[in-house]
Amino acid sequence: RLLVEDERGARWLLEDPQGVVPGQRALVLCRRRAVLSPVHPWDFDEAQYLKSRGVDGVLVSIQTLRADVWIGYKAQLFGAMDEVRQRVRSRIWPQSSSVSQGAGLLLGLAMGDKSSMSWEVRKAFSGLGLAHLTAVSGFHVGLVLLFFSSLVRSFGVNRRWSGLLSLPLVWAYAIVCGASPSALRASGMATLASVMLALGRKPDGMVGLAIVGMVMLAKHPDLVWDLRTRLSFLATLGILLWFHTRTKRPSYKSVMVAIPLCATVFTAPVAWPAFGQLPVGFLPANVLMTPIVPILSLLVVLLIVLPEAISAVFSPWVLFLADGAVQLVVWGHQLLPALDLVPNRCVLTLAGTCLAFFYGLGLCWRFWGYRSLALVACFFVLRLGWMDWVRPRFHAFADGEIVVHSSTGAAVY
């Protein structure tokens, strides 16, 4: 499946069993395939997925009439990045090693690659609210920026300029990881923070989040429909809001508790309707994994940067530790499984929005005071007026079958 662009500039997802080489200019005879429609409320919505990425539809290749041997610069760039990904993968998971779920976790920590994780392990991470660990976000980009800036400072560079000199490597890392919206958001905020530090100014996370969000939406307006983008910005907003309301520097213990709590609460309006589950064990799971993940990330970096002969020696030990971490998550999910929520998008969206709003209101009460009561009233008027607050409509047929039309327009039989 390739992302292609026609002469009019429209973008299509091409399903080609013959395998057109990315970067070529080709004349292909195609037919348009109807996108898959969701049957149940939480089924995969292919139309929404394609819309969030600015793709007009899906084409199926019938015959390739002509293919020019021409490789564009973008294809060359992504081809080079793919070679880097393969080298990192070979370091973390040598071909001679047996099947290891720990290797899948290490690949997720390094590049956000979850392809080597089994469905059971993915479900355990999602059910405990740990799916963000295997998606390249601010945590991963921050570690990369910290590593390279420390390396630059070891050559005598001033701390004020070390972050700025490390930015090309940070953006290269984001591209290697697939340039996901969360990686671009984190890299953009790291860029603004490094520039402000180089200019002798104190960076403001809320301002950086707003600027990066405007730039990303100006470049790709369809990202407003992307689930990953909304989750990334909401989680970051909740964390930054908590830090902005602190009058003194918070302790390490309070940070460990506040970051997963704020991220989970502020993503509730989007995550609850999309996944239909509530990870009841997210807080202890995140607190427990907080000291483990940086250690595994450091070991991954050592596996990648050290010579191959040295890396191959302690690679089995790293895989053993990663397997133990995966098994710990699986046991935790068996002990505290996620709670299935009521299958009604409208109710879950309203409940999650109210939870996030009142939680944020509680954080900022000291700044707003009694004026927040007016904000609550305005919020309920706008929210209830904007929402399609209706019960599901039932239509019974003569043969006894029932069709339920949900608030999203999907039909459930």
Side-chain angles (χ1 to χ4, degrees), residues 7 20 51-52 129 190 231 239 250 252 257 270 295 305 317 345 400:
E7 294 181 351
V20 176
K51 181 181 179 181
S52 67
L231 291 175
I239 295 172
Y252 178 73
V257 175
V270 177
I295 296 175
V305 301
W317 298 99
R345 289 179 185 266

Side-chain angles (χ1 to χ4, degrees), residues 65-347:
L65 303 178
R66 188 182 75 250
D68 300 332
V69 183
W70 175 85
I71 304 296
Y73 71 94
K74 289 185 179 180
Q76 295 177 359
L77 174 62
F78 284 102
M81 294 302 175
D82 186 65
E83 292 181 2
V84 174
R85 281 193 292 268
Q86 295 302 325
R87 291 180 182 178
V88 172
R89 187 181 182 89
S90 64
R91 285 294 188 90
I92 296 177
W93 195 0
Q95 296 296 327
S96 58
S97 65
S98 58
V99 177
S100 171
Q101 293 296 335
L105 173 60
L106 295 179
L107 288 172
L109 292 176
M111 302 182 299
D113 184 4
K114 299 184 287 290
S115 60
S116 300
M117 300 175 66
S118 65
W119 171 249
E120 180 186 5
V121 174
R122 293 190 193 183
K123 185 178 180 180
F125 272 82
S126 177
L128 284 179
L130 298 174
H132 60 91
L133 297 179
T134 55
V136 178
S137 58
F139 172 77
H140 304 77
V141 173
L143 287 180
V144 171
L145 179 62
L146 178 63
F147 175 78
F148 285 117
S149 60
S150 301
L151 187 63
V152 170
R153 285 200 302 269
S154 64
F155 291 97
V157 179
N158 188 1
R159 182 179 181 181
R160 181 176 173 179
W161 299 97
S162 60
L164 197 62
L165 296 176
S166 304
L167 289 179
L169 297 173
V170 171
W171 281 100
Y173 171 75
I175 297 176
V176 167
C177 296
S180 62
S182 58
L184 295 179
R185 190 267 312 159
S187 300
M189 294 184 65
T191 300
L192 291 176
S194 300
V195 171
M196 295 300 291
L197 289 175
L199 296 176
R201 305 287 295 273
K202 183 179 180 181
D204 191 312
M206 299 291 282
V207 175
L209 182 67
I211 293 176
V212 171
M214 288 189 294
V215 172
M216 291 179 62
L217 289 178
K219 178 66 177 177
H220 297 288
D222 298 302
L223 285 177
V224 73
W225 303 103
D226 184 61
L227 178 63
R228 297 177 302 173
T229 304
R230 288 186 283 179
L231 291 175
S232 177
F233 274 84
L234 285 174
T236 307
L237 174 64
I239 295 172
L240 291 176
L241 185 60
W242 184 83
F243 276 101
H244 272 252
T245 54
R246 301 302 96 188
T247 56
K248 59 181 181 179
R249 186 174 182 177
S251 63
Y252 178 73
K253 293 181 180 179
S254 62
V255 170
M256 281 199 309
V257 175
I259 287 181
L261 181 62
C262 292
T264 302
V265 170
F266 273 80
T267 55
V270 177
W272 288 1
F275 303 112
Q277 63 178 12
L278 173 63
V280 294
F282 74 94
L283 193 56
N286 279 273
V287 171
L288 182 62
M289 293 297 291
T290 297
I292 298 177
V293 171
I295 296 175
L296 291 178
S297 302
L298 177 61
L299 293 176
V300 169
V301 173
L302 294 177
L303 284 177
I304 297 173
V305 301
L306 289 178
E308 187 173 359
I310 302 177
S311 176
V313 173
F314 72 96
S315 176
W317 298 99
V318 178
L319 290 177
F320 176 76
L321 294 176
D323 284 331
V326 171
Q327 191 62 41
L328 184 63
V329 172
V330 173
W331 286 343
H333 183 249
Q334 293 175 354
L335 182 64
L336 295 172
L339 178 65
D340 292 332
L341 301 177
V342 55
N344 191 312
R345 289 179 185 266
C346 185
V347 173

Side-chain angles (χ1 to χ4, degrees), residues 344-407:
N344 191 312
R345 289 179 185 266
C346 185
V347 173
L348 293 179
T349 301
L350 179 62
T353 304
C354 292
L355 177 65
F357 179 78
F358 284 111
Y359 183 76
L361 198 62
L363 292 177
C364 300
W365 178 265
R366 69 185 67 182
F367 301 103
W368 291 352
Y370 290 101
R371 288 176 294 178
S372 58
L373 297 177
L375 294 176
V376 172
C378 294
F379 165 77
F380 270 106
V381 171
L382 294 176
R383 186 57 177 164
L384 294 178
W386 170 75
M387 246 177 122
D388 183 17
W389 183 247
V390 293
R391 294 183 178 181
R393 299 182 297 273
F394 294 87
H395 300 274
F397 292 91
D399 55 0
E401 292 184 356
I402 295 178
V403 181
V404 181
H405 292 277
S406 64
S407 59

